Amino acid sequence: MVKHQPLQVYERQLCLSCITGIYGCRWKRYQRSQDDTTKWELLWSFVLLFTFCLLLIWFYFWFEAHNDYSEFNWFLYNRSGEWSDGTVPILATTAACFTYIAFLMVLALCHIALGQQLNLHWLHKIGVFAALLTTIAGVISVNQTWRQEWDVIPISLQATGPFLHIGTLAGVTVLSWIVAGQVARAEKTMFQVVVVLLYFSVLLGLYVVPMYITSPCIMDPNFLKPRPDVFGHHGAPMLAPENTLWSFQRALQMNVTGLEADLAISADGMPFLMRDVTLRRTTNVAKVFPDRQMDDASYFNWTDLQQLNSGLWFLKDDPFWTVHTLSQREKDLIANQSVCSLEQLLKLASFHNTSVVFRLRRPPPEHPCYHTWINDTLQTVQQSGVPQSLVMWTPDQHRAQVRELAPALIQTSMEKLSPQSLQIHGISRLLLRYNQVNVYSKKLLKPWLYSVLWCSGVSSVSSEAPHVLRKVLYPVWLMRPNEFRLMWVSADLISFAVVVGIFIFQKYRTSGLRSYNPEQIMLNAAVRRSSRDINVMKEKLILSGKTVAVS
């Protein structure tokens, strides 16, 4: 009777099988390899890395642009004529692509750490290429249509810069395990030198990056200016339909300092509150005046405008996903809102002793009030009985004449002018977008942005979410310069010590190891014969990579 016993027994490496299987569909032992990665696969690895970096920036952009989602949706509405939340598909696509590419990056790093050849499966290559093209198309589209929004990145870095630095430094420090392993296992001195120089160059760059981090929140708290006043932009449009009387009442319940609105002039000279050129989005004009739903809002007289409902659209479209938080009483009030006039807004502001700032849109040339729009608006302000010191006047046309007739109005500009121009025109306030802040900033939603502007010394801001900003009683974070330097230097020293320790440990760890191809092989010890011939035969079989049985 002849006994057969296995010469070789392979270790089961389920983790390695999953990594190589998911990344390159190499599920079986003989499909894997520790040979050098081919140039073609190296190219795809760089494409994967570039796609990951681009998606990381794209994801960060949309995460920080949350402050302006309503602005983006309004922009889409003006182009398409249909109201929808265009950020939902963009965010869903971005999150899916980023998760997918990040997962592939983790698998690629695992391949490098385990010494396995990189071989990305063709289905993944298609996915990476599709994600890259989608992201590039998105970047180009934003650059062409919403270019000013790129300013949110440098502004947000003022709030996140110190913490992103710590996170990035931690990530690069952890990567030293893989880098040190590659250097320790490499046989070519040139490869070792290049990898070490490249890695430590990146590390050194991160060590000195804080020298270029500037943030107004890195300051002595003793120099912090008073909390900026909050104006209700269109009232409180996240809680009630924009530019309606109930929206401004809700804003006043949030203890705002002032109210901000957009104005148009009706055909019979009545200034009323309306942001859009037409009435389609925020009224039921399609039901009441179906033949005039595409007409400019300023071509309607005040009698016609009073027949329209300005609240039902809010309950139907739920533009900020907040309707479910409202009580039944609030929903009933919203359902009965009508177009609000400037006179109604001014009387409300006068009763509460609250400032008002409005942006006036000039009617088309064929409009009956095309030449009298400034006088019509000024006359409404004077007849409302509101103290002129509460009204911030923004139109630049006939500003000198307005100053003569109503000298107590607060002259406000929506353009960033030189100090000489401001003095000549008697302008004491600026109404600017937050990326051009000076005195007054508009359209804020997020506490981090409010905190940055607070530390910058801005006196007042305009927000669509006064109910959010009212809870910000102190900047989200405030750090003394000495504390920032201590955090910076400590992080650098800890990182350097950990990196040096990892390099030393990896060198010691791999000094006595020998790599086998394709996997480590163990000889079964069941055969205990001491024959020299059998031992020689075993050594030859191991070197040849064949599996046989010996009796």
Side-chain angles (χ1 to χ4, degrees), residues 85-106:
D85 193 345
T87 62
V88 172
I90 294 176
L91 292 174
T93 303
T94 301
C97 289
F98 180 75
T99 303
Y100 172 63
I101 298 299
F103 180 63
L104 290 181
M105 276 297 301
V106 171

Side-chain angles (χ1 to χ4, degrees), residues 45-277:
S45 299
F46 283 116
V47 172
L48 177 62
L49 177 62
F50 176 77
T51 305
F52 174 77
C53 295
L54 185 62
L55 265 170
L56 185 63
I57 297 173
W58 183 242
F59 184 82
Y60 179 81
F61 167 77
W62 279 104
F63 182 79
E64 297 299 343
H66 184 272
N67 185 78
D68 302 316
Y69 283 177
S70 62
E71 179 183 295
F72 178 73
N73 291 331
W74 189 65
F75 169 79
L76 293 180
Y77 168 76
N78 287 334
R79 300 196 67 178
S80 65
E82 297 293 334
W83 178 264
S84 62
D85 193 345
T87 62
V88 172
I90 294 176
L91 292 174
T93 303
T94 301
C97 289
F98 180 75
T99 303
Y100 172 63
I101 298 299
F103 180 63
L104 290 181
M105 276 297 301
V106 171
L107 291 178
L109 291 175
C110 291
H111 274 71
I112 297 173
L114 295 172
Q116 289 293 315
Q117 185 184 59
L118 291 172
N119 190 1
L120 188 64
H121 194 259
W122 64 270
L123 282 177
H124 288 319
K125 291 176 181 177
I126 294 175
V128 171
F129 192 65
L132 178 61
L133 289 183
T134 302
T135 307
I136 291 176
V139 171
I140 294 174
S141 299
V142 168
N143 194 56
Q144 291 179 344
T145 58
W146 206 26
R147 182 174 300 178
Q148 74 275 11
E149 191 61 22
W150 289 118
D151 294 335
V152 75
I153 293 181
I155 293 174
S156 67
L157 288 177
Q158 295 180 13
T160 62
F163 309 103
L164 286 178
H165 169 254
I166 297 297
T168 306
L169 187 60
V172 174
T173 301
V174 170
L175 283 178
S176 65
W177 180 269
I178 298 177
V179 176
Q182 290 296 303
V183 172
R185 286 193 296 266
E187 298 179 356
K188 297 181 179 179
T189 305
M190 181 60 66
F191 175 81
Q192 293 176 322
V193 172
V194 170
V195 171
V196 169
L197 287 178
L198 184 62
Y199 176 76
F200 277 95
S201 297
V202 173
L203 199 61
L204 180 62
L206 284 175
Y207 287 163
V208 300
V209 156
M211 296 176 60
Y212 305 96
I213 293 178
T214 58
S215 173
C217 295
I218 302 176
M219 63 179 296
D220 190 330
N222 295 324
F223 297 111
L224 183 65
K225 293 187 176 181
R227 183 177 184 271
D229 297 331
V230 177
F231 279 59
H233 186 74
H234 302 148
M238 296 184 71
L239 305 176
E242 64 184 53
N243 285 325
T244 59
L245 202 58
W246 175 239
S247 181
F248 293 109
Q249 289 172 342
R250 289 289 283 145
L252 290 170
Q253 292 174 6
M254 305 299 160
N255 299 324
V256 297
T257 305
L259 304 172
E260 182 185 353
D262 297 298
L263 292 186
I265 305 292
S266 68
D268 50 355
M270 173 67 76
F272 66 98
L273 278 52
M274 186 58 56
R275 184 185 187 188
D276 300 348
V277 176

